[in-house]
Amino acid sequence: MTTLVFGGTGFIGRRAIPLLVERGQQVVVVDLNPASADYSAYGDAVRVMGGDITSFEDVIKAVMAVRPDRIMNLAYLLGSGEDTPHFSLRINILGMDNVFEAARLCGINRVTYASSIAVSGLQTNFGDRMTTEDDATYGTRQYAKHKMFNEYQASQYNRIYGMNITGIRPSNVTGYDKVRGSTDHVRCITEPAEGLPINFPYKAIRRLPLHVDEIAEIFTRVTLADSSRYEVYNSGGTQISLGELADIVREFIPDADITFDDEGGLEHSDNYLVDNSRLLTEFELEYKPYRDRVLQMINEVRAHHNMPLVEAK
């Protein structure tokens, strides 16, 4: 069985590809920067090709050459896109549509893709209640609008052509090497781990972090399923304020220099009360305690800089 992964050398792809191989998949990666990840350790199980997702010719050539059993699309421009509207639209909307259309033309009905929690917008749109995949979307930034359209377009392909395209809405994906998109919840861990001070505008602002290893497992399980009960799934995560996250970091690094300009900021929080029971139940997922992930990230940073590791407490 073969899985074709667009954007497979990126932040999530580098974790998902090994999981696919472990489950017996032949994997073909198509990426604009094919040399940015090294899969040579997997031998013939992973093949990497250059290709531009914004070019329909590149996309359909890849699908026709590989003839995969399923496709995973992790190629997107993370972040708001407010400063690069044309470029962002080409990747996030045209690129996604190229994948859907190439899959349709080549008879590849099983496709998974990355949507985003950004579609929901601020938590204030929902009050103090948990949100589900069926709630209205209120995202205002360009990235959110792109993901809203991706979900609409996927639904159209499913309805009109009988395809099985499934979207995952990652929350605030976190990992020691994340540098794009929402990163305050990452920097609150990684910079103190390196011994650097860090300052944030708001202490009470809340995030919904989920470690990249877990989102990679989600994409792997959903992609390898022959079908899904729903068209879109919330990943969920651990709701936490930056102040609370700072307290966890200080448990491991007592002298961590983490400061805040304002004790408040809750009203600025994006959607953080998220029901992910649909995903956890259908795909039998369970996340590690986030405190364990914080320690993991601290030690990944410290190992990278040849610093002494921190012991669990």
Side-chain angles (χ1 to χ4, degrees):
M1 303 288 280
T2 302
T3 300
L4 177 61
V5 183
F6 289 95
T9 68
F11 179 58
I12 297 173
R14 291 196 302 273
R15 276 84 171 185
I17 302 307
L19 298 179
L20 289 167
V21 174
E22 288 172 9
R23 288 159 172 82
Q25 292 291 299
Q26 291 288 317
V27 181
V28 179
V29 173
V30 177
D31 202 288
L32 187 63
N33 300 300
S36 58
D38 182 7
Y39 296 120
S40 59
Y42 300 99
D44 295 338
V46 180
R47 180 158 58 100
V48 182
M49 306 166 52
D52 182 355
I53 198 173
T54 68
S55 165
F56 184 69
E57 182 178 1
D58 281 7
V59 173
I60 198 162
K61 278 184 176 180
V63 177
M64 291 179 67
V66 176
R67 289 290 176 178
D69 299 284
R70 60 202 75 231
I71 295 173
M72 180 192 298
N73 185 17
L74 298 175
Y76 54 91
L77 186 64
L78 186 63
S80 68
E82 303 302 319
D83 54 345
T84 56
H86 177 70
F87 183 61
S88 299
L89 182 143
R90 283 180 56 81
I91 295 177
N92 293 339
I93 292 187
L94 180 61
M96 187 72 74
D97 185 66
N98 285 342
V99 172
F100 292 167
E101 180 66 0
R104 179 188 76 83
L105 291 174
C106 295
I108 315 300
N109 282 351
R110 186 68 180 131
V111 180
T112 57
Y113 70 96
S115 182
S116 174
I117 192 177
V119 301
S120 298
L122 295 177
Q123 181 65 45
T124 53
N125 294 311
F126 308 98
D128 294 327
R129 69 173 179 85
M130 301 286 283
T131 64
T132 73
E133 295 88 346
D134 297 325
D135 277 309
T137 53
Y138 298 96
T140 58
R141 296 187 290 272
Q142 184 167 164
Y143 180 70
K145 295 295 186 181
H146 291 171
K147 292 305 178 182
M148 291 159 70
F149 184 77
N150 291 162
E151 290 186 7
Y152 173 79
Q153 191 80 333
S155 182
Q156 289 290 91
Y157 270 82
N158 289 339
R159 181 180 63 83
I160 297 170
Y161 303 116
M163 297 180 70
N164 200 307
I165 304 176
T166 306
I168 306 297
R169 291 178 179 173
S171 56
N172 303 128
V173 181
T174 186
Y176 81 99
D177 51 341
K178 183 180 183 181
V179 295
R180 295 184 178 88
S182 60
T183 58
D184 53 5
H185 54 95
V186 176
R187 296 172 61 226
C188 189
I189 301 167
T190 58
E191 299 202 20
E194 195 178 343
L196 301 174
I198 186 70
N199 173 264
F200 299 103
Y202 298 112
K203 185 176 184 178
I205 194 168
R206 300 191 77 80
R207 300 298 185 216
L208 190 64
L210 181 67
H211 195 269
V212 64
D213 290 349
E214 281 155 339
I215 200 68
E217 179 67 27
I218 290 169
F219 272 102
T220 300
R221 291 197 191 189
V222 177
T223 300
L224 294 184
D226 291 333
S227 62
S228 62
R229 296 176 194 167
Y230 302 95
E231 292 187 339
V232 66
Y233 294 84
N234 291 329
S235 77
T238 300
Q239 59 145 319
I240 191 169
S241 71
L242 289 187
E244 292 166 345
L245 180 54
D247 288 340
I248 295 176
V249 173
R250 292 190 190 100
E251 291 180 31
F252 299 113
I253 308 174
D255 59 350
D257 187 359
I258 308 170
T259 57
F260 301 91
D261 294 331
D262 191 310
E263 292 287 315
L266 181 64
E267 70 278 11
H268 299 292
S269 304
D270 289 321
N271 183 210
Y272 61 85
L273 294 174
V274 175
D275 183 345
N276 62 350
S277 57
R278 175 185 289 187
L279 177 73
L280 300 186
T281 300
E282 183 175 345
F283 295 98
E284 300 179 344
L285 287 155
E286 185 175 350
Y287 303 153
K288 285 186 178 181
Y290 194 64
R291 186 176 182 276
D292 294 353
R293 293 300 192 184
V294 171
L295 178 59
Q296 174 186 338
M297 290 170 60
I298 288 172
N299 281 331
E300 286 169 335
V301 171
R302 293 176 76 86
H304 180 74
H305 291 282
N306 296 312
M307 299 169 66
L309 301 186
V310 175
E311 295 183 3
K313 296 180 180 180

